[in-house]
Amino acid sequence: MLRDDLSDVLLPLWEGWSSNSDRSALLRAIAGHHGRPPDGGEDFYWSTQVGPISIGSAREFIADVRRVLNPTPLPRPTKATLPGLVWWLAGLTVLADWIGSAEHWFPYHERNLSLDDYWNKVALPRAQKAVAAAGLDAALVAPHVSLADLVGGAVPLQPSPVQQLAVQMDLGHTGPALVLIEDQTGSGKTEAALLVAHRLMASGRAQGLFVALPTMATANGMYQRLADAYRRLFQPGSTPSLVLAHGRRRDHRGFQDSILRGAATSDQATNDPADETASAQCAAWIAEDRRRTFFAAVGVGTIDQALLGVLPSRHAPLRLQGLHQRVLIIDEAHAYDPYMRRGMRNLVRFHAGMGGSTVILSATLPQATRRELIEAHAEAIGQNLSKPTSQSYPLVTVAADNSVQEIPCAGRPELARSIRVRRLDTEQQAISRIIEAAAAGQAVAWIRNSVLDATAAWRALRDAGVEADLFHSRFAMGDRIKVENDVVERFGKCSNNRHGVVVATQVIEQSLDLDFDLLISDLAPMDLLIQRAGRLWRHVRPERSGEAELLVLSPPPIKDAPANWLGTELRRTGRVYQDHALLWRTAHFLFAQDRIFQPGDVRNLVEQTYDDETPYPSGLQRSANKAAGTKSAHESIAGQNFLKWDAGYTRNAGAWTSDIVTPTRLGEASMLLRLARWRNSELRPWYAGETEQESWSLSEIQMPQYLVSGVVQPAGEIGKALQTTKLRWGAWEQDIPVLVMQESNGVWQGDVLHKDRRRHAFYSASNGLWLE
């Protein structure tokens, strides 16, 4: 109908537009405000479904609106700028629809007003109030921000080299910028990124920022860091929102307490944001739906929330609409697999095409990854940028104003060090070394590549008389949060009681400010080992002398390594990191030198390890081929799943099918369970929160489906109690399986299903969930 029956009354808006397809692209963006593009691609003619009376009314309405608004003709976009305009308009239309459809802001009005009077006397004043109440007014950016503002006066205040560079380097003058920061763990990359983001905001190229992280735990940690400092990015008297965005934010008490209740449902909220004294606050309209996350002045969340904007998910353009006015900061970029790296490139492309700047942080990025990110940025804005070539480290790369700068950066002086690297043949050697270090009062971490290996090592240490903490992903959420907080309190930067042993999986290697005297790690890819080594002697302490030591459990990288080169002790490592040739190259280059000199050796070690031309034993060929096939398959799936920028807001841009949920990441399938205790004829959630809803939420645990395919349904009295309990849950929650556990000889146990076979499950707050 917009294309045929109404085309003549719309024609003045398209003055100078000769392309029907360009006009159709914008009309489709407006018509697809219910979550997906309209059906039919280019052929959306609806006059056969709409009668002449309705068409006539529509023509009259358009004429009246043109008279009241007196719009100027739209400038015709170029081929390069059309996709950005289309995605922007699609998101703006959804936003306007959501705000305008809220009856508490726009109640039905008497029909005794002319359209002119309604627009000027009713609609516009209500719209201004609605935008303010929703938290959509842009907060005024502070003209200047220092490092001290960001860290709240914490010591040290002397900027690190990368932080100094963030303040001084050229970011261009107009348009989007892409900044890649590669530096050691503990170098202050996060603060450097915030300084860069503020400069872009202060120059009018953004209104806020969003920090995307790999996990919910790292997002929670970043939220806490920003809660006390984010207001300093804005002028005094401003009321910017800080939002937390991930699937379990309802369990984060700090965020829930920050929500300005009442602001989403009334234009006369009882709590004025200016009267708030909390360090963090968030408008309720933004907080109540994760799709509105990016309209907060400052956001922190998992990268998944941003990736949903470049997947065919409902209302994806709304996410893009909010995000394009924010500096997107992607942290821990080395932590993503091929599928998510492809998604990250797509996100950079969409963000740049809509005018947004991106800052990417990583301990290390292979040169191929840097090149791909710059290409994605350049393609979106129609530029032909030079390829990165620098092998320096640390390194800051800036793509802005039609050029690429590669700026070598000095490392933080206190992080310049040599780390002695020693290979361990057996787990028993690791245990013996930990016993010695624990007896000397040192802080020790052993990072294992699987939960089962971590649990076995923890038990072996306890059998040897060493009290150790266990930290992995298979805890009920409440217990996991407590374990993480205990680990940070004990081994963090400001700990006054920094000693003891923790055995952990990969959960410890990202975004946690931990400092150990001795670090032992199972063999892992080179970049991850370097990341783990960042937890070793992270801070200067007067009691330390000599060299830091990294012990790596690994077989020797022999030239004729067979297919089972990893052996029995690292067989589970081989399942986690399936490219055994990559592990062999890591061991080969790592143990070829008895020390790692940081930062000088980092770039060369990573590039050599990830160079596919580097020879490796023929016995590992099958593993390498399988890993290459998996990588290629995942990249291909990503190419099919993620939206196509140039296709615009059409069904051809992605699989916009209502019965398909396109994943933000690939990986092993998992099952969500809730843990319950049965004691004294009463069913209670495992973890005790402040409310029943919070308690059940904090009693949830994710288990891989290859271990757990379901639970054994309780019968009798327990079954009736469970049915009664579930009646108090939300509709979607009632499908969550509940593992009911009973205490026997001091151990809590229940029964799960594993491939339709019954297995005993055991749980403790110190050990997590395990099966026997």
Side-chain angles (χ1 to χ4, degrees), residues 536-551:
L536 184 61
W537 286 31
R538 184 180 175 112
H539 300 293
V540 175
R541 300 186 185 277
E543 67 271 17
R544 286 172 173 159
S545 62
E547 279 184 308
E549 186 175 40
L550 172 66
L551 307 181

Side-chain angles (χ1 to χ4, degrees), residues 22-231:
D22 288 355
R23 291 197 292 267
S24 295
L26 293 194
L27 293 175
R28 193 165 39 243
I30 296 170
H33 60 275
H34 289 297
R36 296 189 298 273
D39 288 318
E42 293 294 334
D43 302 318
F44 55 109
Y45 296 93
W46 303 318
S47 58
T48 58
Q49 303 174 32
V50 179
I53 296 177
S54 296
I55 292 175
S57 297
R59 293 173 63 87
E60 292 178 11
F61 178 73
I62 291 173
D64 285 343
V65 169
R66 282 180 49 207
R67 177 180 51 78
V68 172
L69 299 184
N70 192 26
T72 57
L74 290 168
R76 185 183 176 186
T78 65
K79 182 179 179 181
T81 60
L82 179 63
L85 176 59
V86 168
W87 289 107
W88 176 86
L89 182 59
L92 179 64
T93 304
V94 174
L95 177 61
D97 180 51
W98 284 18
I99 294 289
S101 299
E103 291 186 36
H104 50 272
W105 287 327
F106 294 94
Y108 290 107
H109 199 274
E110 297 288 340
R111 294 182 58 188
N112 57 1
L113 282 180
S114 67
L115 183 60
D116 302 72
D117 286 343
Y118 176 76
W119 176 255
N120 291 299
K121 297 179 181 179
V122 178
L124 284 180
R126 283 192 171 276
Q128 291 171 343
K129 290 182 179 180
V131 168
L136 297 179
D137 280 338
L140 297 176
V141 178
H144 303 287
V145 165
S146 68
L147 179 63
D149 292 326
L150 296 179
V151 299
V155 178
L157 292 179
Q158 179 65 34
S160 70
V162 74
Q163 292 165 350
Q164 292 176 329
L165 186 58
V167 174
Q168 299 167 355
M169 65 186 179
D170 183 11
L171 297 176
H173 299 91
T174 60
L178 173 66
V179 181
L180 311 178
I181 300 177
E182 300 172 83
D183 205 344
Q184 294 170 264
T185 300
S187 62
K189 294 189 295 293
T190 300
E191 290 78 12
L194 294 175
L195 290 168
V196 169
H198 178 264
R199 289 181 59 194
L200 293 168
M201 292 159 56
S203 66
R205 292 154 77 181
Q207 295 179 2
L209 61 93
F210 181 83
V211 185
L213 295 123
T215 66
M216 289 185 287
T218 54
N220 288 344
M222 185 62 66
Y223 178 86
Q224 293 302 123
R225 290 176 66 178
L226 285 178
D228 294 328
Y230 85 101
R231 286 175 178 271

Side-chain angles (χ1 to χ4, degrees), residues 10-20 22-23 73-77:
L10 290 171
L11 191 59
L13 298 176
W14 313 108
E15 187 177 321
W17 290 49
S18 59
S19 170
N20 285 332
D22 288 355
R23 291 197 292 267
L74 290 168
R76 185 183 176 186

